Amino acid sequence: MMKLSLVEDQAIQARIAAIAGAETFDRLFAGIRFDEVDGNLLFAIARDEDCASEIEDEFSHHLAVVATQILRQSVDVVVVLPKVLQ
């Protein structure tokens, strides 16, 4: 398991903001933290259950591609947990 650095977390956020657009990013991704990678799984912590679910449904593929590029290792699955379950 590898904890992501603050720079890696912010780099993923910046790239996904460009993909999602400002309004969607502010609505869904406010307070998100890309936390760690375990094998090919990227774990993220979203502000609540609704945001976590929508992020997984709408952006998991984009997040996997962005994380693979930034982390220079294969990320195939993105798991987004709500902050209360972390």
Side-chain angles (χ1 to χ4, degrees), residues 46-85:
R47 104 176 140 241
D48 61 35
E49 191 172 330
D50 292 334
C51 288
S53 177
E54 191 170 345
I55 291 167
E56 274 193 5
D57 291 345
E58 301 294 324
F59 293 99
S60 61
H61 174 73
H62 297 295
L63 286 167
V65 171
V66 166
T68 295
Q69 293 169 347
I70 290 171
L71 302 174
R72 295 189 176 112
Q73 73 178 67
S74 180
V75 174
D76 297 325
V77 178
V78 178
V79 177
V80 184
L81 302 170
K83 195 169 269 187
V84 295
L85 295 179

Short mmCIF file of all heavy atoms in Angstrom, two decimals, residues 46-85:
data_model
loop_
_atom_site.label_atom_id
_atom_site.label_comp_id
_atom_site.label_asym_id
_atom_site.label_seq_id
_atom_site.Cartn_x
_atom_site.Cartn_y
_atom_site.Cartn_z
N ALA A 46 -14.37 11.11 -0.21
CA ALA A 46 -15.23 12.23 -0.61
C ALA A 46 -15.99 12.76 0.60
O ALA A 46 -16.06 12.10 1.64
CB ALA A 46 -16.21 11.78 -1.68
N ARG A 47 -16.61 13.91 0.44
CA ARG A 47 -17.25 14.57 1.58
C ARG A 47 -18.47 13.84 2.09
O ARG A 47 -18.77 13.89 3.28
CB ARG A 47 -17.50 16.02 1.25
CG ARG A 47 -18.89 16.38 0.94
CD ARG A 47 -19.10 17.86 0.70
NE ARG A 47 -20.03 17.95 -0.41
CZ ARG A 47 -19.77 18.51 -1.55
NH1 ARG A 47 -18.64 19.09 -1.76
NH2 ARG A 47 -20.65 18.50 -2.51
N ASP A 48 -19.24 13.17 1.20
CA ASP A 48 -20.43 12.44 1.67
C ASP A 48 -20.74 11.28 0.72
O ASP A 48 -20.10 11.13 -0.32
CB ASP A 48 -21.63 13.36 1.86
CG ASP A 48 -22.07 14.05 0.58
OD1 ASP A 48 -21.98 13.46 -0.51
OD2 ASP A 48 -22.53 15.21 0.67
N GLU A 49 -21.73 10.49 1.10
CA GLU A 49 -22.06 9.28 0.34
C GLU A 49 -22.58 9.59 -1.06
O GLU A 49 -22.26 8.88 -2.02
CB GLU A 49 -23.10 8.48 1.13
CG GLU A 49 -23.32 7.09 0.58
CD GLU A 49 -24.21 6.25 1.49
OE1 GLU A 49 -24.20 6.46 2.71
OE2 GLU A 49 -24.90 5.39 0.94
N ASP A 50 -23.38 10.64 -1.19
CA ASP A 50 -23.91 11.00 -2.51
C ASP A 50 -22.80 11.39 -3.47
O ASP A 50 -22.79 10.97 -4.63
CB ASP A 50 -24.93 12.13 -2.39
CG ASP A 50 -26.21 11.71 -1.69
OD1 ASP A 50 -26.53 10.50 -1.72
OD2 ASP A 50 -26.88 12.57 -1.10
N CYS A 51 -21.87 12.22 -3.00
CA CYS A 51 -20.75 12.62 -3.84
C CYS A 51 -19.88 11.42 -4.19
O CYS A 51 -19.46 11.27 -5.35
CB CYS A 51 -19.91 13.69 -3.14
SG CYS A 51 -20.71 15.29 -3.05
N ALA A 52 -19.61 10.57 -3.22
CA ALA A 52 -18.78 9.39 -3.46
C ALA A 52 -19.40 8.51 -4.54
O ALA A 52 -18.71 8.05 -5.47
CB ALA A 52 -18.60 8.60 -2.17
N SER A 53 -20.70 8.30 -4.45
CA SER A 53 -21.39 7.47 -5.43
C SER A 53 -21.36 8.08 -6.82
O SER A 53 -21.08 7.39 -7.82
CB SER A 53 -22.84 7.26 -4.98
OG SER A 53 -23.55 6.52 -5.93
N GLU A 54 -21.63 9.36 -6.92
CA GLU A 54 -21.63 10.02 -8.23
C GLU A 54 -20.23 10.08 -8.83
O GLU A 54 -20.06 9.90 -10.04
CB GLU A 54 -22.24 11.42 -8.13
CG GLU A 54 -22.50 12.03 -9.49
CD GLU A 54 -23.32 13.30 -9.44
OE1 GLU A 54 -23.95 13.60 -8.40
OE2 GLU A 54 -23.31 14.01 -10.46
N ILE A 55 -19.23 10.32 -8.01
CA ILE A 55 -17.85 10.33 -8.51
C ILE A 55 -17.49 8.97 -9.08
O ILE A 55 -16.92 8.87 -10.17
CB ILE A 55 -16.86 10.76 -7.40
CG1 ILE A 55 -17.06 12.24 -7.07
CG2 ILE A 55 -15.42 10.49 -7.83
CD1 ILE A 55 -16.36 12.68 -5.79
N GLU A 56 -17.80 7.90 -8.35
CA GLU A 56 -17.51 6.54 -8.85
C GLU A 56 -18.25 6.27 -10.15
O GLU A 56 -17.68 5.73 -11.09
CB GLU A 56 -17.87 5.49 -7.81
CG GLU A 56 -16.78 5.22 -6.83
CD GLU A 56 -17.02 3.96 -6.00
OE1 GLU A 56 -18.01 3.22 -6.23
OE2 GLU A 56 -16.21 3.71 -5.10
N ASP A 57 -19.53 6.65 -10.21
CA ASP A 57 -20.34 6.37 -11.40
C ASP A 57 -19.88 7.17 -12.62
O ASP A 57 -19.83 6.63 -13.72
CB ASP A 57 -21.82 6.67 -11.14
CG ASP A 57 -22.45 5.71 -10.15
OD1 ASP A 57 -21.86 4.64 -9.88
OD2 ASP A 57 -23.55 6.03 -9.65
N GLU A 58 -19.59 8.44 -12.43
CA GLU A 58 -19.34 9.34 -13.55
C GLU A 58 -17.87 9.55 -13.90
O GLU A 58 -17.55 9.86 -15.05
CB GLU A 58 -19.97 10.72 -13.27
CG GLU A 58 -21.47 10.67 -13.05
CD GLU A 58 -22.25 10.26 -14.29
OE1 GLU A 58 -21.83 10.64 -15.40
OE2 GLU A 58 -23.26 9.55 -14.13
N PHE A 59 -16.97 9.41 -12.92
CA PHE A 59 -15.59 9.82 -13.15
C PHE A 59 -14.54 8.77 -12.84
O PHE A 59 -13.35 9.05 -12.92
CB PHE A 59 -15.29 11.09 -12.34
CG PHE A 59 -16.05 12.28 -12.83
CD1 PHE A 59 -17.21 12.69 -12.20
CD2 PHE A 59 -15.60 13.00 -13.92
CE1 PHE A 59 -17.93 13.78 -12.65
CE2 PHE A 59 -16.31 14.09 -14.39
CZ PHE A 59 -17.48 14.48 -13.75
N SER A 60 -14.94 7.55 -12.48
CA SER A 60 -13.93 6.56 -12.08
C SER A 60 -12.97 6.22 -13.22
O SER A 60 -11.77 6.07 -12.99
CB SER A 60 -14.59 5.29 -11.52
OG SER A 60 -15.41 4.69 -12.49
N HIS A 61 -13.47 6.13 -14.44
CA HIS A 61 -12.57 5.84 -15.57
C HIS A 61 -11.58 6.98 -15.77
O HIS A 61 -10.38 6.75 -15.92
CB HIS A 61 -13.36 5.60 -16.86
CG HIS A 61 -12.48 5.44 -18.05
ND1 HIS A 61 -11.73 4.30 -18.26
CD2 HIS A 61 -12.19 6.29 -19.06
CE1 HIS A 61 -11.02 4.46 -19.37
NE2 HIS A 61 -11.29 5.65 -19.88
N HIS A 62 -12.08 8.21 -15.76
CA HIS A 62 -11.20 9.38 -15.92
C HIS A 62 -10.16 9.43 -14.81
O HIS A 62 -8.98 9.71 -15.06
CB HIS A 62 -12.01 10.68 -15.93
CG HIS A 62 -12.97 10.79 -17.06
ND1 HIS A 62 -12.59 10.88 -18.37
CD2 HIS A 62 -14.32 10.83 -17.07
CE1 HIS A 62 -13.64 10.97 -19.15
NE2 HIS A 62 -14.71 10.93 -18.38
N LEU A 63 -10.60 9.18 -13.58
CA LEU A 63 -9.68 9.19 -12.45
C LEU A 63 -8.61 8.12 -12.58
O LEU A 63 -7.44 8.35 -12.26
CB LEU A 63 -10.44 9.02 -11.13
CG LEU A 63 -11.22 10.24 -10.68
CD1 LEU A 63 -12.18 9.86 -9.56
CD2 LEU A 63 -10.29 11.35 -10.24
N ALA A 64 -8.99 6.93 -13.05
CA ALA A 64 -8.02 5.85 -13.23
C ALA A 64 -6.96 6.25 -14.26
O ALA A 64 -5.77 6.01 -14.05
CB ALA A 64 -8.72 4.57 -13.65
N VAL A 65 -7.38 6.85 -15.36
CA VAL A 65 -6.44 7.28 -16.40
C VAL A 65 -5.51 8.36 -15.87
O VAL A 65 -4.28 8.29 -16.03
CB VAL A 65 -7.20 7.77 -17.65
CG1 VAL A 65 -6.25 8.42 -18.65
CG2 VAL A 65 -7.94 6.61 -18.30
N VAL A 66 -6.07 9.37 -15.20
CA VAL A 66 -5.27 10.47 -14.65
C VAL A 66 -4.29 9.96 -13.60
O VAL A 66 -3.10 10.31 -13.61
CB VAL A 66 -6.21 11.56 -14.06
CG1 VAL A 66 -5.44 12.54 -13.19
CG2 VAL A 66 -6.94 12.28 -15.19
N ALA A 67 -4.76 9.11 -12.69
CA ALA A 67 -3.89 8.58 -11.63
C ALA A 67 -2.77 7.72 -12.21
O ALA A 67 -1.63 7.79 -11.74
CB ALA A 67 -4.72 7.77 -10.63
N THR A 68 -3.07 6.94 -13.23
CA THR A 68 -2.04 6.13 -13.88
C THR A 68 -0.94 7.01 -14.44
O THR A 68 0.25 6.72 -14.28
CB THR A 68 -2.67 5.27 -15.01
OG1 THR A 68 -3.57 4.33 -14.41
CG2 THR A 68 -1.61 4.51 -15.78
N GLN A 69 -1.32 8.13 -15.06
CA GLN A 69 -0.33 9.05 -15.62
C GLN A 69 0.50 9.73 -14.54
O GLN A 69 1.72 9.81 -14.64
CB GLN A 69 -1.02 10.11 -16.47
CG GLN A 69 -1.67 9.57 -17.72
CD GLN A 69 -2.56 10.59 -18.40
OE1 GLN A 69 -2.90 11.62 -17.84
NE2 GLN A 69 -2.96 10.27 -19.62
N ILE A 70 -0.15 10.20 -13.50
CA ILE A 70 0.56 10.95 -12.46
C ILE A 70 1.41 10.05 -11.58
O ILE A 70 2.56 10.39 -11.26
CB ILE A 70 -0.46 11.75 -11.60
CG1 ILE A 70 -1.03 12.89 -12.45
CG2 ILE A 70 0.19 12.29 -10.33
CD1 ILE A 70 -2.18 13.62 -11.83
N LEU A 71 0.87 8.90 -11.21
CA LEU A 71 1.59 8.01 -10.29
C LEU A 71 2.57 7.09 -11.00
O LEU A 71 3.37 6.42 -10.36
CB LEU A 71 0.59 7.18 -9.48
CG LEU A 71 -0.42 7.98 -8.66
CD1 LEU A 71 -1.44 7.06 -8.03
CD2 LEU A 71 0.29 8.83 -7.62
N ARG A 72 2.47 7.03 -12.32
CA ARG A 72 3.33 6.16 -13.14
C ARG A 72 3.24 4.70 -12.70
O ARG A 72 4.24 3.99 -12.63
CB ARG A 72 4.77 6.66 -13.12
CG ARG A 72 4.92 8.01 -13.78
CD ARG A 72 6.36 8.38 -13.94
NE ARG A 72 6.46 9.63 -14.65
CZ ARG A 72 6.89 10.77 -14.12
NH1 ARG A 72 7.26 10.79 -12.85
NH2 ARG A 72 6.95 11.85 -14.85
N GLN A 73 2.02 4.29 -12.39
CA GLN A 73 1.72 2.88 -12.13
C GLN A 73 0.27 2.66 -12.49
O GLN A 73 -0.54 3.59 -12.49
CB GLN A 73 1.99 2.50 -10.68
CG GLN A 73 1.00 3.02 -9.66
CD GLN A 73 1.33 2.54 -8.28
OE1 GLN A 73 2.34 2.92 -7.72
NE2 GLN A 73 0.48 1.71 -7.72
N SER A 74 -0.05 1.44 -12.84
CA SER A 74 -1.38 1.11 -13.32
C SER A 74 -2.43 1.25 -12.22
O SER A 74 -2.30 0.67 -11.15
CB SER A 74 -1.39 -0.31 -13.88
OG SER A 74 -2.67 -0.63 -14.34
N VAL A 75 -3.45 2.05 -12.51
CA VAL A 75 -4.62 2.17 -11.65
C VAL A 75 -5.82 1.76 -12.49
O VAL A 75 -6.13 2.41 -13.48
CB VAL A 75 -4.79 3.61 -11.11
CG1 VAL A 75 -6.10 3.73 -10.34
CG2 VAL A 75 -3.61 4.00 -10.25
N ASP A 76 -6.47 0.67 -12.12
CA ASP A 76 -7.60 0.16 -12.89
C ASP A 76 -8.94 0.43 -12.23
O ASP A 76 -9.96 0.51 -12.91
CB ASP A 76 -7.45 -1.35 -13.10
CG ASP A 76 -6.21 -1.70 -13.91
OD1 ASP A 76 -5.86 -0.93 -14.82
OD2 ASP A 76 -5.59 -2.73 -13.62
N VAL A 77 -8.94 0.54 -10.91
CA VAL A 77 -10.19 0.68 -10.16
C VAL A 77 -10.05 1.84 -9.18
O VAL A 77 -9.03 1.96 -8.49
CB VAL A 77 -10.53 -0.61 -9.39
CG1 VAL A 77 -11.81 -0.45 -8.59
CG2 VAL A 77 -10.64 -1.79 -10.34
N VAL A 78 -11.09 2.67 -9.12
CA VAL A 78 -11.11 3.78 -8.17
C VAL A 78 -12.24 3.51 -7.18
O VAL A 78 -13.39 3.30 -7.57
CB VAL A 78 -11.34 5.13 -8.88
CG1 VAL A 78 -11.42 6.26 -7.88
CG2 VAL A 78 -10.23 5.38 -9.90
N VAL A 79 -11.90 3.50 -5.90
CA VAL A 79 -12.87 3.29 -4.83
C VAL A 79 -13.01 4.61 -4.09
O VAL A 79 -12.03 5.12 -3.54
CB VAL A 79 -12.42 2.17 -3.87
CG1 VAL A 79 -13.42 2.01 -2.73
CG2 VAL A 79 -12.21 0.88 -4.62
N VAL A 80 -14.22 5.15 -4.08
CA VAL A 80 -14.46 6.44 -3.41
C VAL A 80 -15.34 6.17 -2.20
O VAL A 80 -16.47 5.68 -2.34
CB VAL A 80 -15.13 7.46 -4.36
CG1 VAL A 80 -15.27 8.81 -3.65
CG2 VAL A 80 -14.35 7.60 -5.66
N LEU A 81 -14.81 6.47 -1.05
CA LEU A 81 -15.54 6.26 0.22
C LEU A 81 -15.99 7.60 0.77
O LEU A 81 -15.30 8.60 0.64
CB LEU A 81 -14.61 5.60 1.23
CG LEU A 81 -14.01 4.25 0.82
CD1 LEU A 81 -12.94 3.84 1.82
CD2 LEU A 81 -15.09 3.21 0.73
N PRO A 82 -17.15 7.63 1.42
CA PRO A 82 -17.56 8.87 2.08
C PRO A 82 -16.73 9.09 3.34
O PRO A 82 -16.25 8.14 3.96
CB PRO A 82 -19.03 8.62 2.44
CG PRO A 82 -19.20 7.15 2.41
CD PRO A 82 -18.16 6.58 1.49
N LYS A 83 -16.55 10.34 3.68
CA LYS A 83 -15.70 10.71 4.82
C LYS A 83 -16.07 10.00 6.10
O LYS A 83 -15.22 9.64 6.89
CB LYS A 83 -15.73 12.22 5.01
CG LYS A 83 -14.64 12.75 5.90
CD LYS A 83 -14.57 14.24 5.84
CE LYS A 83 -13.60 14.57 4.75
NZ LYS A 83 -13.26 15.94 4.61
N VAL A 84 -17.34 9.73 6.33
CA VAL A 84 -17.77 9.08 7.58
C VAL A 84 -17.32 7.64 7.68
O VAL A 84 -17.24 7.08 8.76
CB VAL A 84 -19.30 9.15 7.77
CG1 VAL A 84 -19.76 10.58 7.94
CG2 VAL A 84 -20.01 8.49 6.62
N LEU A 85 -16.98 7.00 6.55
CA LEU A 85 -16.57 5.60 6.57
C LEU A 85 -15.06 5.40 6.49
O LEU A 85 -14.59 4.28 6.48
CB LEU A 85 -17.21 4.83 5.40
CG LEU A 85 -18.72 4.72 5.44
CD1 LEU A 85 -19.21 3.97 4.22
CD2 LEU A 85 -19.19 4.03 6.70
#
